Amino acid sequence: MDRTVIRSRLARSVVALAGGAAAVAGSYATVGGSPAFVAAPIANATVTLAPGVLVTLAITLLGDLGSKLAYAAGLGATALLFGLVVVVVRAVATRTGRPLAGPVVGVVSVGLLAAALSGSAPSAVGAAVGAALVSTVVDLGSASDDTTTHGARRAVLAGVAALSVGAFAFGGRRVLATDTDDAPQTPIPDDVAAMLDDAESKSLAVEGLEPLVSDHFYTVDIANVDPRPAREDWSLRIHGAVGEETTYSFADIEAMEHEHRFETLRCVGESLNGRKTDTAVWTGVPLMDLLEPADLQGDYVMLRAADGFYEEFPVDALEDGFLAVGMNGRPLPRPHGAPGRALIPGHWGEINVKWLTEIEILDEPATGYWEERGWHGTGPVNTVAKLWAENRLEDGRMEVAGPAYAGTRGIDRVEVSTDGGETWHDADLSDPLPDDDVWRQWVYRYEPPGGAHEVVVRATDGLDTLQPRDERRAYPNGPSGWVSKTIEP
Ligand SMILES: Nc1nc2c(c(=O)[nH]1)N[C@H]1C(S)=C(S)[C@@H](COP(=O)(O)O)O[C@H]1N2
Ligand SMILES: [Mo]
């Protein structure tokens, strides 16, 4: 192929991609990272449609990076799709001898595609305007001569235009975006403030150790763009094997008696010493208050959510279940399932369904989202003592510390070995928080030996069961084994 032909094709691809990227950025400028964002459906499909093994690999090996990569892939694919539309439309217009119609038709088709993808007029207009800007800049910049030698110039113009739209979109959202993503910032009620104070005073003073109420609560989502069900539109439907089908609105929930409780969540997919275990004070209503009027008649339950997530487990686990609408004294944040999520004490994180919309009672067992992908994450959590902090103290001693968690079984004891498991010593534990399903912290200080040594930690739960030693990776039953670390004093 002739070099000029290659060059001009390359330039056209750059122009198209820039147009696509500008369309994505334009949509972002108007609706941000909401479900109306044009990239949301494709970004979300990258997780939902990807083979289970791949998703599992990404979760266990890459962690949060995996979901960021999936999101980036979704953004790229959306930009490509729009770029393709721009190319085709421009080519058709040129061939029919009406090149000027290109941008116009491009805008219309980008707008239509964006509307179809997002179902949102502002999002579609944003996308169309973004694409049109790039198209117009390219056409104006090369109006004087249409020779292929100027392909490079077109490409540069397109790139600059797309970057400008992108910078405007991201910068603009930073400056202009009202806090629509987060629930309104209400003052923290006194009773929650007292609980937070309690947790703070019980947290061990160890440098580098997160306090008992987590500063940063992890998130795990099947969707790259979280749903945003407005409170007014949200409802919780209880149906299936029930005597009386019942639906609650958010106002119904708000009118009920609220409680606060400490509760820890742990993801079955985390690594043994991982960071996907956190604790918060949750505010809401006991699920049984909602379920009693429905008259449950089946032995299993399926919880369903606004993002298409669903998890099934035995109905007995609902007994102590909770519908949380608040977290640490504030309305439940969107990433944690606003306006309402389930909390099922003692069980792995996955059945604590966020953006909860349905409680379906079943006669027969069924398969949940992660179980369809091979996980067994609906039962009680494994016991673990983690090693999150190691400090050299001023007096020359070493200090090791971390959280320990065994769901509703509670933590009775944490032991530390500083000689690779030969001898064991009791660690000090933080005073227990009032509720059943919470972690504790442990700390152990010792004179370090001269050189490198292996520190091993193990917990004993409230049923006097020692944390099993056999090492197993997260998939499929959750990580198991004793955390150990070689420490160089
Ligand atoms: N609707 C919905 N609920 C969900 C999930 C999800 O992807 N969608 N992830 C689950 C998983 S795997 C875990 S570990 C917890 C994490 O809760 P968090 O994101 O608030 O930490 O939520 C669970 N609930
Ligand atoms: Mo999870």
Side-chain angles (χ1 to χ4, degrees):
M1 216 189 300
D2 190 331
R3 270 181 65 184
T4 34
V5 176
I6 295 179
R7 266 225 214 114
S8 94
R9 290 213 173 147
L10 208 68
R12 244 180 289 161
S13 311
V14 172
V15 171
L17 243 179
V24 171
S27 159
Y28 185 85
T30 54
V31 296
S34 76
F37 182 31
V38 285
I42 294 171
N44 286 347
T46 54
V47 184
T48 317
L49 300 181
V53 258
L54 223 131
V55 176
T56 294
L57 230 109
I59 290 175
T60 46
L61 293 183
L62 303 173
D64 291 342
L65 182 64
S67 67
K68 280 185 188 128
L69 286 177
Y71 196 10
L75 287 179
T78 312
L80 266 176
L81 181 65
F82 279 111
L84 210 69
V85 170
V86 172
V87 173
V88 168
V89 168
R90 283 181 75 100
V92 167
T94 311
R95 215 153 272 170
T96 52
R98 274 174 289 166
L100 244 191
V104 179
V105 182
V107 164
V108 172
S109 47
V110 163
L112 284 179
L113 176 61
L117 279 173
S118 67
S120 149
S123 180
V125 170
V129 169
L133 274 173
V134 169
S135 234
T136 310
V137 167
V138 169
D139 284 342
L140 288 181
S142 50
S144 46
D145 56 314
D146 206 11
T147 55
T148 44
T149 39
H150 284 77
R153 184 158 131 208
R154 302 166 65 113
V156 168
L157 280 172
V160 169
L163 277 178
S164 317
V165 175
F168 168 80
F170 288 89
R173 288 229 43 103
R174 275 251 167 107
V175 179
L176 299 175
T178 47
D179 264 337
T180 42
D181 267 14
D182 299 306
Q185 287 303 306
T186 46
I188 294 177
D190 290 344
D191 37 5
V192 178
M195 290 174 78
L196 292 171
D197 285 347
D198 182 32
E200 201 180 310
S201 68
K202 285 174 175 164
S203 298
L204 298 177
V206 172
E207 204 189 309
L209 182 63
E210 207 181 20
L212 283 167
V213 167
S214 305
D215 290 331
H216 296 285
F217 204 106
Y218 79 95
T219 54
V220 176
D221 302 314
I222 58 160
N224 279 300
V225 179
D226 291 340
R228 187 191 271 169
R231 288 182 164 194
E232 311 79 64
D233 304 332
W234 179 87
S235 67
L236 176 59
R237 183 170 154 239
I238 296 160
H239 63 114
V242 294
E244 182 97 28
E245 190 173 314
T246 317
T247 301
Y248 295 93
S249 68
F250 195 80
D252 295 334
I253 305 289
E254 265 184 321
M256 297 172 74
E257 190 79 44
H258 280 51
E259 294 175 10
H260 313 292
R261 46 161 95 164
F262 289 103
E263 191 163 326
T264 302
L265 291 185
R266 181 181 185 204
C267 183
V268 70
E270 76 161 355
S271 56
L272 180 60
N273 197 32
R275 293 283 176 163
K276 291 195 168 94
T277 304
D278 279 303
T279 304
V281 177
W282 307 90
T283 297
V285 295
L287 277 182
M288 274 308 166
D289 290 359
L290 303 175
L291 292 170
E292 250 145 33
D295 176 23
L296 309 190
Q297 295 169 357
D299 289 333
Y300 304 90
V301 59
M302 181 75 85
L303 302 186
R304 295 184 196 278
D307 60 346
F309 187 65
Y310 50 92
E311 283 296 348
E312 182 264 12
F313 51 93
V315 85
D316 295 343
L318 291 176
E319 194 71 33
D320 308 313
F322 201 63
L323 175 73
V325 295
M327 187 180 185
N328 297 332
R330 307 270 168 160
L332 190 65
R334 181 176 163 216
H336 296 292
R341 80 174 302 167
L343 291 178
I344 311 294
H347 291 250
W348 290 110
E350 64 173 52
I351 67 170
N352 295 262
V353 173
K354 306 190 273 189
W355 310 289
L356 184 68
T357 54
E358 279 178 53
I359 301 179
E360 185 187 7
I361 307 298
L362 308 169
D363 294 316
E364 304 280 331
T367 313
Y369 182 94
W370 286 117
E371 283 51 50
E372 275 178 356
R373 288 156 179 81
W375 289 86
H376 301 293
T378 62
V381 292
N382 297 346
T383 300
V384 69
K386 301 188 181 193
L387 205 177
W388 280 1
E390 47 183 277
N391 299 310
R392 178 98 204 198
L393 299 175
E394 275 175 14
D395 60 10
R397 288 184 305 160
M398 283 297 302
E399 173 184 70
V400 284
Y405 179 55
T408 47
R409 299 184 299 279
I411 290 289
D412 260 13
R413 186 180 191 192
V414 171
E415 293 165 282
V416 179
S417 169
T418 58
D419 54 11
E422 294 285 314
T423 54
W424 293 91
H425 315 272
D426 277 321
D428 287 332
L429 292 176
S430 60
D431 288 335
L433 289 168
D435 295 302
D436 291 336
D437 182 21
V438 274
W439 62 10
R440 288 176 84 171
Q441 293 176 328
W442 63 269
V443 63
Y444 182 67
R445 302 183 180 94
Y446 62 98
E447 284 309 331
H453 56 284
E454 196 193 352
V455 173
V456 192
V457 206
R458 64 185 191 191
T460 300
D461 72 14
L463 305 174
D464 211 25
T465 306
L466 180 66
Q467 176 183 339
R469 179 179 200 166
D470 56 310
E471 253 174 68
R472 282 186 279 117
R473 61 199 175 111
Y475 185 79
N477 297 305
S480 147
W482 295 344
V483 171
S484 70
K485 205 168 192 175
T486 302
I487 291 185
E488 311 264 355

